[in-house]
Amino acid sequence: MTDPAPWRADDLFVIAGPCAIESRDFALETAEELKGIFARAGIGLVYKSSFDKANRTSAASFRGVGIDAGLQILADVRETLGVPVITDVHTPDQAAPAAEAVDMLQTPAFLCRQSDFIAAVARTGKPVNVKKGQFLAPWDMTKVVEKARIAAEEAGVEAQLFVCERGTSFGYGNLVVDMRGLTIMKETTGCPVVFDATHSVQLPGAQGDSSGGERKHAPALARAAVATGAISGLFMETHPDPDNAPCDGPNMLPFEWLPDLLADLKAIAAISRNA
């Protein structure tokens, strides 16, 4: 049985884990280590890892273990460790089977305007973290949320939607974060907001056949986002050895950074949420 859903609590929660599932043993080991780190920090964890990373820079890029093996691994993590889990889905037909295996679904930023896809994830009735496209203004997410709510209502289920900031394209191969957008999305969509601290420091396509990143800036952005008082959760991809990870290594945080960062985030949240 999984822990109570941390996104229903009033306290800050964090979605964290490796970008992609590398193996069953790796998933169980990393989830167990993260569970301990977050328990000691007193912050709710949702374990994240993707069975498939469909939006890779190169055809040769690592994508994961596939939907069948991946969903079974995530279900094993959930059952064995009692940790809530989340994964990306990329097509409408993946939504229902993924919803049976995980506690929360996530939509890639590139797909936020794909109407049939957004409707499919909303119809599952599962909580959905909807990432804002790098090409959208914060207020544009109102229409994305509207599509999802209509689909959920038609399916007779409750729409449980989160909107997620992951940076905005700024020139070629760079992203910036406007912290005003967190408050704007909360006010205009009426949804709880999640801030993606690690994809916001990604440098898309910067390494030619893969994306680069500047992980050193992710902790500062995470602290700033929590300080706004506008967010309910953070998304931070993490890895025990990010420099040798098969995907998104340059922007993932090493596990050893987490205890101090989580302590800072908890302290900042205690102030900003009562301001």
Side-chain angles (χ1 to χ4, degrees):
M1 191 156 182
T2 57
D3 293 336
W7 55 85
R8 295 198 183 101
D10 292 332
D11 295 332
L12 182 75
F13 74 93
V14 177
I15 298 168
C19 173
I21 299 170
E22 298 176 30
S23 69
R24 182 180 185 276
D25 287 346
F26 180 78
L28 288 167
E29 289 166 5
T30 53
E32 184 172 25
E33 187 169 354
L34 288 171
K35 180 180 180 180
I37 291 170
F38 278 83
R40 290 187 289 274
I43 295 179
L45 167 70
V46 183
Y47 179 77
K48 183 268 174 184
S49 208
S50 297
F51 57 81
D52 179 26
K53 298 299 293 184
N55 51 342
R56 300 291 83 192
T57 301
S58 166
S61 298
F62 178 78
R63 290 184 51 164
V65 297
I67 186 168
D68 293 334
L71 291 181
Q72 183 59 60
I73 289 169
L74 291 169
D76 289 346
V77 168
R78 186 185 186 202
E79 181 178 349
T80 303
L81 299 174
V83 176
V85 296
I86 181 173
T87 195
D88 296 308
V89 288
H90 295 86
T91 61
D93 61 294
Q94 291 178 347
E100 294 180 5
V102 304
D103 299 278
M104 195 176 199
L105 300 175
Q106 181 165 272
T107 62
F110 289 115
L111 301 180
C112 66
R113 287 176 57 89
Q114 297 298 312
S115 299
D116 291 344
F117 174 64
I118 293 297
V121 293
R123 289 191 193 104
T124 67
K126 283 292 178 81
V128 183
N129 188 35
V130 184
K131 285 196 170 185
K132 177 180 78 65
Q134 303 92 319
F135 42 84
L136 293 185
W139 48 86
D140 292 331
M141 286 298 285
T142 57
K143 294 301 182 183
V144 179
V145 167
E146 181 182 302
K147 292 177 187 178
R149 286 177 172 154
I150 291 171
E153 183 178 358
E154 290 174 346
V157 299
E158 178 187 359
Q160 302 182 66
L161 306 172
F162 295 77
V163 289
C164 182
E165 173 63 77
R166 54 98 9 110
T168 299
S169 296
F170 186 77
Y172 294 119
N174 194 25
L175 301 168
V176 296
V177 177
D178 180 355
M179 291 294 168
R180 296 174 300 177
L182 302 174
T183 300
I184 292 169
M185 282 204 294
K186 182 179 181 180
E187 292 175 346
T188 58
T189 67
C191 295
V193 176
V194 173
F195 175 63
D196 182 344
T198 49
H199 283 100
S200 290
V201 298
Q202 190 178 60
L203 300 173
Q207 297 183 354
D209 59 355
S210 64
S211 292
E214 297 179 314
R215 76 169 70 96
K216 64 182 180 181
H217 297 308
L221 290 180
R223 295 184 187 100
V226 174
T228 67
I231 68 169
S232 297
L234 280 167
F235 177 105
M236 299 189 295
E237 286 189 334
T238 59
H239 195 283
D241 184 14
D243 287 334
N244 290 300
C247 63
D248 275 11
N251 50 270
M252 283 198 285
L253 303 183
F255 284 9
E256 63 196 44
W257 289 15
L258 293 177
D260 288 345
L261 176 58
L262 293 177
D264 288 349
L265 297 175
K266 190 174 179 67
I268 295 168
I271 296 170
S272 65
R273 287 167 173 243
N274 294 316

